[in-house]
């Protein structure tokens, strides 16, 4: 970072430069760095990391039923930026409405028109904030996707469910929903049982289908995680429910490795092929695995950057998801303006991956599998932990240290001292002491909520043991 | 020349000892930890005969250089006194009755094991408390500022340290001590050292017969009185050309001041000591530092957060209620203290152990029977197996150094389980966090219904193996009162 002038001067070969920088964790910071000191370095109209982003180049896909022209980049509204607000003695994170407005304005200006939220997101505030931002634009400029969420059994009754649906309309300041989803079917300790309790037995699925007939819901679909039997069952009833779209988790790691990472999960290849067979458009979630496909170990980042030095690490994941023809839109929870800008460059317009590039990514995925990161995407579905543990922050810190080589195997490891310091000091910085893994009681309340089926208490326990042996120096 | 050497040496000691009381990492101790151990009162309390003899010898030979160089409180007074006007001192007679009374009281208190009261007027520990209580927060604040910067820079050079405000009594003692001593120093120089300080009294009586001392050459002296007006110990009677060596702290200022070069630091000849003719006059100077502090620090009890409501949304953090200190029948003192009586007898309450405790376990007691002496409690952390810092820094032998192996087999207390707080019963969940974190394996989870393996598991404490480290108490999820807590032992024992 020390010599920005050299970058601007371009007298150093850029590829060599990036290699030398050893980009990895810093990859995300790259766009803004380069952008700040360049003018007119775009090469032959191709969108690179620099230069203005065209406002009329967004790639669109057509919804076969309604003919909607949906932008291939969709806005995921689960990870809105937050600001800290002091309430008495306590500091709380509250979604930053001003920032959200700016992000939404910029997205719409560049052709993004699909916004995906849920009554559960952002501690229950996402719909309201999203509605506030969107209502400042003409209603026909965007499509709203929201969900009938399923976390607390007390919201499963017919009455509470209908109330949730009406609240969504109210918060989103609209009288119709473009895309309505059953939220995360297949999740829970018994996925099939929960599916029936939540959507079938109370007649809510029929209710939503009727709303579709009435025109207040334009498309009806579901999102899926977990038990594959529920996915298969839903698709087997396609003739009955006429799914207009289905939301699945797809990325170049999960395409063939999902079941390897966790045997409770199913490879994206299967999910996507099943939808394609029936001609059901796929909406893609977790294309970047909550950032895990951007925050990769150095040598993986270098491998990607070597091939496309002027694109970000993350762009590979988005181009991968968007290159599948049966995909309606690729959702990305863009928290910061540079996330949004980077993604806009990937989709304005999309440059589909070649077969060779696809092969290259699958090889990259194989390399990533050698890294023992925990498959946490920071979705925060597990939260709040009743005992105050900050589960995602603990797992994210551990993954960060894995990727940066700061999880020493023993005290004989080469970088043991530095790694130990980085791990322990970083741990206290990322997670307040009272919310660290040693306070996990193992009640397992979180386990049923994890879409990635992580055995959270087992992981927190393992990390706690690791931390303790680092502290004691007995590793 | 001599006074310059004295100033530099004094400042080195002052800065080093100050750092000793500020440095929470323990690195400074490796270099200058010995400076705490050669302090007079700590050495006496530690029965460190070698050091006491050495200090006595130095005083008999050179006078009270200890008071001008080694004692941080003495040097601090010199620093403050420099801010005052020049030529402001004048000779005064010795307040001998007060000096002896303070010394006798001190010895008596030490003998009957009430060393905490004695510690209130002891110079070294007073200085330690002032630095720790008044300067410590500033130090940590700066550290945390640097930690934020290093965090933003993405390195691990500095790390954040928690600081919790000390109790009102602790702060009040430090503030009052500082104000009293600072005012006395600013106005009259070394008043504290020559009236209240018991160490000053002891060393003063030795210095009376010291081999070397500033001596006035009456053949050169023109009786201008400049030396007396600049003597912060007010011990030069320039009219009679005599110096009260029991109060002279060997600062050498008079030597430089004298225009006639009439004063020199040299072997004393047969100069007779006139100062003994002083009559005992009690002037009723009060030891203002001593008061009763009945104020109990008000514990801000965080609003008791309701049990986390059932999850309906993503994200968010459940509120965590602060832990409260359980009512212990016997308080806990750290491994190496040997027994509660040993700590009480030897501790001067200098706060060095409190400074270095990395787990926020040790804190000054606010109990009147052991005011300011360290005690352990586990709401914020527990006595971790890899740490034995308190014993290694203690200069008085109140906490002896213990090896990590010895520490892990020293029973300083034992855990007690309270079924009424245990979340196995209150929340109906399985837990076992205490058993999982017990470093000695003293806690086992057993079925709550004897013989029924499927019944909820509750902790069973094997007292023979429990060392009282507090891991269970600290990590117990029950709040504000843990379901398992540690009772101290009067006498530590080995497993």
């Amino acid at each position: 970072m020390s010599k920005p002038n050299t970058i601007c001067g371009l007298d150093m070969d850029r590829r060599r430069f990036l290699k030398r920088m050893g980009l990895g964790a810093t990859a995300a910071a790259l766009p803004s760095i380069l952008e700040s000191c360049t003018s007119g370095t775009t090469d032959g109209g191709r969108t690179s990391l620099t230069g203005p982003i065209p406002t009329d180049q967004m790639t669109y896909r057509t919804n076969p039923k309604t003919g909607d022209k949906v932008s291939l980049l969709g806005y995921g509204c689960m990870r809105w930026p937050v600001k800290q607000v002091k309430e008495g003695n306590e500091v709380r994170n509250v979604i930053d409405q001003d920032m959200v407005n700016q992000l939404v304005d910029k997205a719409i200006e560049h052709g993004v028109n699909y916004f995906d939220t849920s009554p559960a997101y952002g501690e229950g505030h996402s719909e309201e904030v999203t509605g506030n931002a969107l209502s400042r634009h003409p209603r026909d400029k965007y499509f709203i996707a929201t969900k009938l969420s399923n976390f607390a059994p007390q919201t499963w009754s017919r009455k509470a469910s209908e109330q949730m649906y009406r609240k969504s309309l109210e918060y989103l300041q609209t009288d119709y929903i473009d895309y309505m989803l059953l939220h995360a079917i297949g999740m829970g300790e018994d996925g099939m049982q929960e599916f029936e309790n939540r959507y079938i037995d109370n007649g809510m699925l029929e209710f939503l289908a009727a709303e579709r007939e009435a025109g207040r819901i334009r498309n009806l679909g579901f999102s899926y995680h977990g038990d594959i039997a529920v996915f298969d069952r839903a698709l087997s009833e396609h003739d009955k429910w006429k799914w207009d779209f289905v939301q699945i988790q797809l990325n170049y790691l999960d395409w063939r490795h999902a079941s390897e990472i966790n045997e409770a999960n199913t490879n994206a290849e299967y999910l996507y092929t099943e939808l394609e067979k029936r001609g059901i458009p796929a909406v893609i979630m977790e294309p970047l695995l909550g950032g895990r496909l951007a925050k990769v170990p150095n040598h993986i980042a270098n491998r990607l950057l070597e091939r496309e030095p002027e694109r970000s690490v993350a762009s590979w994941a988005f181009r991968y998801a968007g290159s599948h023809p049966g995909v309606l839109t690729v959702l990305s929870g863009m928290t910061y303006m540079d996330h949004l800008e980077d993604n806009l460059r990937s989709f304005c317009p999309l440059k589909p991956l070649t077969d060779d590039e696809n092969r290259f990514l699958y090889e990259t995925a194989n390399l990533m599998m050698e890294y023992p990161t925990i498959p946490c995407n920071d979705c925060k579905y597990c939260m709040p932990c009743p005992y105050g543990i900050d589960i995602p922050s603990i797992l994210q810190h551990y993954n960060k240290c894995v990727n940066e080589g700061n999880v020493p195997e023993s005290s004989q490891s080469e970088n043991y001292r530095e790694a130990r310091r980085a791990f322990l000091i970083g741990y206290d910085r990322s997670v307040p002491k009272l919310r660290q893994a040693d306070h996990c009681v193992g009640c397992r309340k979180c386990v049923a909520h994890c879409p990635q089926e992580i055995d959270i208490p087992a992981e927190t326990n393992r990390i706690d043991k690791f931390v303790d042996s680092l502290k004691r120096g007995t590793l | 020349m001599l006074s310059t050497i004295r100033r530099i040496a004094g400042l080195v000691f002052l800065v080093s000892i100050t750092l000793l009381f500020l440095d929470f990492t323990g690195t400074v101790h490796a270099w200058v930890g010995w400076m705490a151990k050669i302090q007079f009162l700590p050495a006496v309390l530690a029965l460190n005969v070698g050091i006491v003899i050495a200090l006595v010898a130095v005083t008999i030979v050179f006078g009270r250089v200890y008071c001008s160089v080694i004692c941080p409180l003495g040097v601090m007074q010199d620093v403050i006194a420099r801010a005052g006007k020049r030529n402001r001192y004048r000779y005064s007679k010795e307040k001998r009755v007060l000096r002896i009374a303070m010394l006798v009281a001190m010895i008596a208190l030490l003998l009957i094991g009430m060393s905490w009261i004695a510690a209130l007027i002891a110079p070294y520990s007073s200085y330690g408390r002032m630095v720790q209580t008044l300067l410590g927060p500033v130090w940590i604040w700066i550290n945390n500022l640097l930690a934020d910067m290093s965090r933003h820079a993405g390195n691990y050079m500095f790390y954040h340290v928690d600081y919790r405000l000390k109790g009102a009594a602790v702060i009040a003692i430090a503030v009052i001590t500082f104000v009293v001593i600072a005012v006395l120093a600013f106005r009259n120089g070394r008043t504290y050292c020559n009236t209240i300080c018991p160490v000053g009294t002891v060393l003063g009586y030795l210095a009376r017969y010291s081999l070397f001392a500033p001596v006035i050459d009456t053949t050169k002296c023109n009786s201008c009185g400049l030396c007396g007006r600049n003597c912060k110990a007010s011990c030069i009677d320039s009219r009679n050309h005599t110096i009260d060596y029991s109060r002279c702290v060997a600062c050498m200022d008079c030597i430089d001041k004298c225009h006639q070069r009439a004063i020199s630091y040299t072997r004393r000849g047969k100069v007779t000591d006139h100062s003994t003719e002083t009559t005992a006059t009690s002037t009723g100077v009060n030891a203002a530092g001593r008061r009763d502090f009945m104020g109990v620090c008000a514990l801000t009890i965080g609003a008791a957060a309701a049990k986390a409501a059932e999850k309906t949304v993503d994200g968010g953090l459940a509120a965590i209620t602060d832990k409260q200190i359980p009512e212990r029948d016997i308080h806990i003192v750290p491994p190496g203290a040997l027994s509660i009586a040993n700590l009480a007898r030897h501790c001067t309450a200098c706060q060095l152990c409190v400074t270095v405790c990395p787990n926020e376990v040790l804190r000054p007691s606010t109990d009147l029977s052991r005011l300011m002496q360290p005690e352990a409690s586990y709401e914020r952390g527990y006595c971790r197996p890899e740490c034995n810092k308190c014993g290694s820094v203690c200069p008085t032998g109140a906490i002896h150094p213990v090896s990590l192996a010895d520490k892990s087999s020293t029973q300083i207390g034992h855990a007690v389980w309270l079924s009424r707080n245990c979340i196995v019963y209150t929340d109906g969940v399985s837990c076992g966090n205490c058993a999982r974190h017990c470093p000695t394996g003293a806690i086992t989870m057993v079925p709550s219904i004897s013989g029924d393996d499927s019944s909820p598991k509750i902790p069973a404490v094997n007292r023979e193996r429990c060392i009282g480290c507090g891991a269970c108490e600290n990590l117990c999820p029950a709040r504000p009162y843990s379901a398992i807590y540690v009772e101290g032992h009067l006498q530590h024992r080995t497993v």
Side-chain angles (χ1 to χ4, degrees):
Chain A
M1 307 286 150
S2 57
K3 287 184 187 168
N5 289 334
T6 324
I7 313 174
C8 297
L10 285 178
D11 33 320
M12 201 206 300
D13 174 304
R14 192 171 264 187
R15 185 172 301 203
R16 232 175 53 218
F17 166 72
L18 288 170
K19 250 175 146 176
R20 208 173 284 178
M21 294 243 290
L23 286 173
T26 50
L30 193 60
S32 52
I33 292 164
L34 292 182
E35 195 172 46
S36 62
C37 63
T38 47
S39 52
T41 52
T42 44
D43 47 333
R46 207 184 82 186
T47 329
S48 68
L49 281 169
T50 58
I53 307 162
T55 53
D56 55 352
Q57 296 288 313
M58 174 60 75
T59 301
Y60 289 92
R61 293 274 164 82
T62 309
N63 178 333
K65 184 182 101 173
T66 58
D68 291 347
K69 295 263 185 250
V70 178
S71 61
L72 190 50
L73 174 61
Y75 215 122
C77 304
M78 188 175 79
R79 303 176 196 264
W80 284 131
V82 291
K83 61 181 177 189
Q84 297 197 318
V85 173
K86 230 181 154 186
E87 275 179 14
N89 280 338
E90 214 153 324
V91 178
R92 271 199 337 120
N93 285 335
V94 176
I95 299 179
D96 186 346
Q97 179 79 57
D98 290 342
M99 216 43 235
V100 172
N101 291 351
Q102 289 181 39
L103 290 164
V104 166
D105 293 352
K106 177 119 182 175
I108 290 181
E109 182 195 336
H110 288 83
V112 173
N113 64 7
Y114 189 97
F115 292 83
D116 173 84
T117 180
S118 141
Y121 289 170
E123 299 184 44
H125 299 293
S126 171
E127 279 187 337
E128 190 178 358
V129 174
T130 309
N132 289 342
L134 286 176
S135 64
R136 295 151 57 253
H137 295 269
R139 182 66 181 86
D140 60 354
K141 286 277 186 203
Y142 55 86
F143 304 115
I144 291 177
T146 193
K147 311 183 179 80
L148 193 65
S149 294
N150 54 354
F151 292 119
Q154 82 252 24
T155 63
W156 292 2
S157 72
R158 175 66 179 253
K159 194 168 156 230
S161 302
E162 283 190 35
Q163 200 185 359
M164 183 187 281
Y165 166 66
R166 305 215 185 282
K167 271 278 173 208
S168 293
L169 290 169
E170 185 190 323
Y171 282 140
L172 290 161
Q173 305 181 33
T174 181
D175 43 19
Y176 65 94
I177 303 287
D178 299 285
Y179 292 83
M180 187 71 190
L181 299 93
L182 313 183
H183 198 170
I185 66 169
M187 258 172 61
E189 274 170 60
D190 182 346
M192 189 64 84
Q193 193 59 50
E194 280 199 16
F195 174 65
E196 299 214 351
N197 291 344
R198 175 70 188 103
Y199 300 110
I200 307 295
D201 296 351
N202 58 10
M204 269 319 283
L205 183 49
E206 274 180 47
F207 169 83
L208 293 176
E211 287 291 291
R212 177 170 59 181
E213 287 301 304
R216 283 184 291 272
I217 290 173
R218 296 182 55 241
N219 297 279
L220 184 59
F222 62 84
S223 67
Y224 155 79
H225 282 292
D227 187 353
I228 190 64
V230 182
F231 178 83
D232 289 340
R233 171 180 162 178
L235 285 195
S236 70
E237 295 172 4
H238 181 45
D239 289 341
K240 183 176 174 192
W241 302 114
K242 303 264 183 307
W243 304 112
D244 299 311
F245 68 108
V246 169
Q247 188 164 313
I248 54 168
Q249 174 167 327
L250 180 148
N251 52 66
Y252 63 85
L253 196 60
D254 281 329
W255 186 252
R256 287 198 186 122
H257 292 294
S259 62
E260 192 180 333
I261 293 166
N262 187 329
E263 55 189 36
N265 291 331
T266 308
N267 290 342
E269 184 177 22
Y270 172 81
L271 306 176
Y272 178 77
T273 315
E274 289 299 302
L275 295 179
E276 204 177 31
K277 267 194 243 169
R278 294 169 176 82
I280 303 173
V283 170
I284 302 306
M285 57 182 160
E286 301 293 0
L288 197 61
L289 286 175
R292 279 198 293 130
L293 295 182
K295 295 177 227 163
V296 292
N298 262 350
H299 71 276
I300 305 255
N302 290 348
R303 179 183 154 88
L304 297 171
L305 287 166
E306 198 172 308
R307 206 158 157 142
E308 283 281 2
E310 300 195 12
R311 287 185 183 266
S312 65
V313 172
S315 72
W316 282 95
F318 287 105
R319 288 173 61 210
Y320 174 82
S323 294
H324 292 80
V327 166
L328 185 65
T329 186
V330 178
L331 298 176
S332 175
M334 297 163 279
T335 312
Y336 303 107
M337 196 57 89
D338 59 311
H339 291 166
L340 172 60
E341 288 174 355
D342 187 41
N343 286 353
L344 287 172
R345 288 179 204 284
S346 302
F347 286 103
C348 297
L350 172 80
K351 185 175 152 246
L353 293 179
T354 61
D355 287 349
D356 185 46
E357 285 173 323
N358 261 324
R359 257 197 308 280
F360 168 73
L361 271 190
Y362 291 137
E363 282 164 21
T364 309
N366 291 339
L367 288 175
M368 278 183 194
M369 286 302 292
E370 291 168 15
Y371 271 76
T373 51
I374 298 163
C376 167
N377 296 343
D378 197 20
C379 70
K380 301 189 171 63
Y381 281 21
C382 52
M383 299 288 283
C385 158
Y387 295 97
I389 316 287
D390 191 347
I391 301 164
S393 299
I394 294 168
L395 304 187
Q396 295 291 315
H397 171 69
Y398 181 81
N399 282 350
K400 176 171 178 263
C401 290
V402 169
N403 285 333
E404 291 175 358
N406 285 331
V407 180
E409 276 179 16
S410 83
S411 53
Q412 304 306 310
S413 302
E414 202 182 326
N415 66 337
Y416 173 71
R417 281 171 61 92
E418 297 78 21
R420 176 178 183 271
R421 204 173 161 84
F423 194 103
L424 291 179
I425 295 178
Y427 191 37
D428 285 348
R429 283 180 186 171
S430 311
V431 193
K433 283 202 173 78
L434 287 178
R435 304 194 182 280
Q436 291 181 354
D438 53 356
H439 287 86
C440 171
V441 306
C443 71
R444 303 191 68 80
K445 291 232 162 99
C446 49
V447 178
H449 297 300
C450 179
Q452 308 304 321
E453 308 269 335
I454 301 169
D455 186 346
I456 295 169
E459 297 292 359
T460 49
N461 223 318
R462 184 168 68 88
I463 293 171
D464 177 33
K465 287 221 166 72
F466 177 70
V467 167
D468 206 65
S469 56
L470 277 187
K471 283 184 179 170
R472 290 202 204 185
T474 54
L475 195 67
Chain B
M1 173 61 186
L2 281 174
S3 68
T4 311
I5 294 173
R6 186 266 307 167
R7 266 185 214 119
I8 292 170
L11 280 176
V12 167
F13 267 86
L14 182 72
V15 170
S16 304
I17 291 175
T18 306
L19 284 176
L20 217 48
F21 280 105
L22 293 174
D23 174 46
F24 46 81
T25 64
T27 37
V28 174
H29 281 274
W31 299 94
V32 295
W34 57 272
M35 288 186 179
K37 306 218 159 132
I38 61 164
Q39 297 293 320
F40 191 81
L41 196 59
V44 170
L45 287 167
L47 301 177
N48 203 331
V49 183
I51 286 174
V52 174
I53 289 176
L55 291 175
V56 166
V58 165
T59 310
I60 288 177
V61 177
F62 299 108
R64 283 170 67 181
V65 286
Y66 173 90
C67 301
S68 276
V69 175
I70 300 174
C71 175
L73 196 71
V75 183
M76 183 193 92
Q77 291 178 78
D78 287 352
V79 172
I80 293 169
R82 269 177 82 89
K85 271 193 295 195
R86 279 161 200 275
N87 300 329
R88 72 181 186 279
Y89 304 113
R90 64 194 160 78
Y91 175 76
S92 65
K93 290 196 170 152
E94 188 191 10
K95 316 273 185 297
R96 184 178 294 182
V97 171
L98 180 62
R99 285 182 92 175
I100 292 175
M102 294 305 285
L103 178 64
V104 169
M106 174 96 167
I107 292 170
L109 287 168
L110 287 179
L111 287 178
I112 61 170
M114 303 269 283
S115 62
W116 69 269
I117 301 182
L120 287 181
I121 55 165
Y124 158 76
S125 52
S126 291
Y127 185 74
R129 285 191 296 271
M130 283 187 258
V131 172
Q132 224 273 331
T133 316
L134 306 179
L135 225 49
V138 181
W139 180 264
I140 288 177
W141 181 74
I142 293 172
N143 170 76
N144 289 350
L145 218 62
L146 292 170
D148 281 346
M149 283 158 70
S150 103
R151 179 193 188 134
H152 285 302
N155 65 47
Y156 299 96
M157 195 125 69
F158 296 93
Y159 56 89
H160 189 94
V161 186
D162 286 338
Y163 183 80
R164 284 183 179 76
L165 214 56
K166 298 277 189 305
V170 177
I171 295 175
I173 287 173
V175 169
I176 290 173
T177 316
F178 179 75
V179 169
V180 167
I181 291 179
V183 167
L184 286 178
F186 186 76
R187 296 178 53 183
N188 299 315
R190 293 284 199 130
T191 310
Y192 163 84
C193 307
N194 286 331
T195 48
I196 300 168
C197 179
V199 179
T201 306
V202 170
L203 296 183
Y205 277 81
L206 294 169
R208 203 183 284 263
Y209 310 103
S210 72
L211 215 53
F212 288 88
V215 178
I216 304 173
D217 183 346
T218 44
T219 58
K220 288 183 185 167
C221 176
N222 63 357
S223 301
C224 71
L226 193 60
C227 51
R229 288 202 300 279
N230 283 288
C231 174
K232 61 200 172 207
S234 303
C235 68
I236 306 178
D237 183 356
S238 49
R239 212 170 301 159
N240 297 318
H241 308 292
T242 57
I243 298 174
D244 177 358
Y245 294 116
S246 81
R247 285 184 289 154
C248 171
V249 292
C251 73
M252 320 292 179
D253 283 351
C254 51
I255 299 172
D256 288 359
K257 277 284 169 213
C258 183
H259 299 317
Q260 308 301 321
R261 294 175 184 267
I263 306 179
S264 56
Y265 184 69
T266 178
R267 265 197 75 166
R268 286 158 69 189
K270 300 255 184 294
V271 185
T272 45
D273 191 348
H274 295 288
S275 66
T276 41
E277 57 202 51
T278 24
T279 47
T281 50
S282 172
T283 53
V285 173
N286 278 323
R290 289 182 300 157
R291 296 235 179 105
D292 264 5
F293 293 104
M294 295 303 290
V296 177
C297 65
L299 288 167
T300 44
I301 298 167
K307 275 261 168 298
E310 191 164 8
K311 176 184 167 64
T312 53
V313 295
D314 295 350
L317 289 163
I320 298 179
T321 321
D322 280 345
K323 281 217 183 217
Q324 299 293 314
I325 305 175
E327 256 184 54
R328 304 181 209 276
D329 288 338
I330 299 172
H331 65 276
I332 309 164
V333 292
L338 308 183
S339 67
I340 284 176
N342 178 69
L343 185 121
R345 208 164 32 239
H346 289 97
C347 176
T348 65
C350 76
Q351 313 297 310
L352 214 44
C353 53
V354 176
T355 307
V356 295
C357 178
N359 301 307
E360 296 188 75
V361 169
L362 291 180
R363 72 280 309 265
S365 172
T366 47
D367 189 303
L368 277 181
S369 67
R370 50 181 193 278
L371 197 62
M372 310 296 292
Q373 293 188 340
E375 63 184 15
S377 198
Y378 303 128
E379 313 84 59
R380 303 164 195 160
Y382 61 95
C383 193
R384 288 201 45 95
E386 72 275 5
C387 173
N388 55 3
K389 282 184 178 170
C390 50
S392 69
V393 300
C394 178
T396 68
I399 309 172
H400 289 272
V402 280
S403 72
L404 292 178
D406 286 345
K407 172 191 172 152
S408 68
S409 58
T410 303
Q411 296 175 306
I412 61 172
H414 64 269
V416 179
W417 177 62
L418 299 170
S419 61
R420 63 174 185 272
N421 293 343
C422 188
I423 64 162
V424 171
Y425 293 129
T426 58
D427 297 10
V429 296
S430 64
C431 179
N433 214 32
C434 47
R436 217 166 14 250
H437 290 92
C438 179
T440 60
I443 305 177
T444 324
M445 298 305 286
V446 298
S448 51
I449 300 166
S450 184
D452 178 2
D453 281 348
S454 62
S455 62
K457 300 267 196 303
I458 53 169
V461 182
N462 178 352
R463 266 203 204 183
E464 295 309 310
R465 295 181 72 171
C466 176
I467 57 171
C469 71
C472 51
E473 180 180 327
N474 177 245
L475 295 172
C476 175
R479 289 171 175 275
Y481 290 103
S482 296
I484 190 161
Y485 80 103
V486 177
E487 271 295 348
H489 283 168
L490 283 172
Q491 191 82 38
H492 293 179
R493 41 199 116 137
T494 308
V495 177

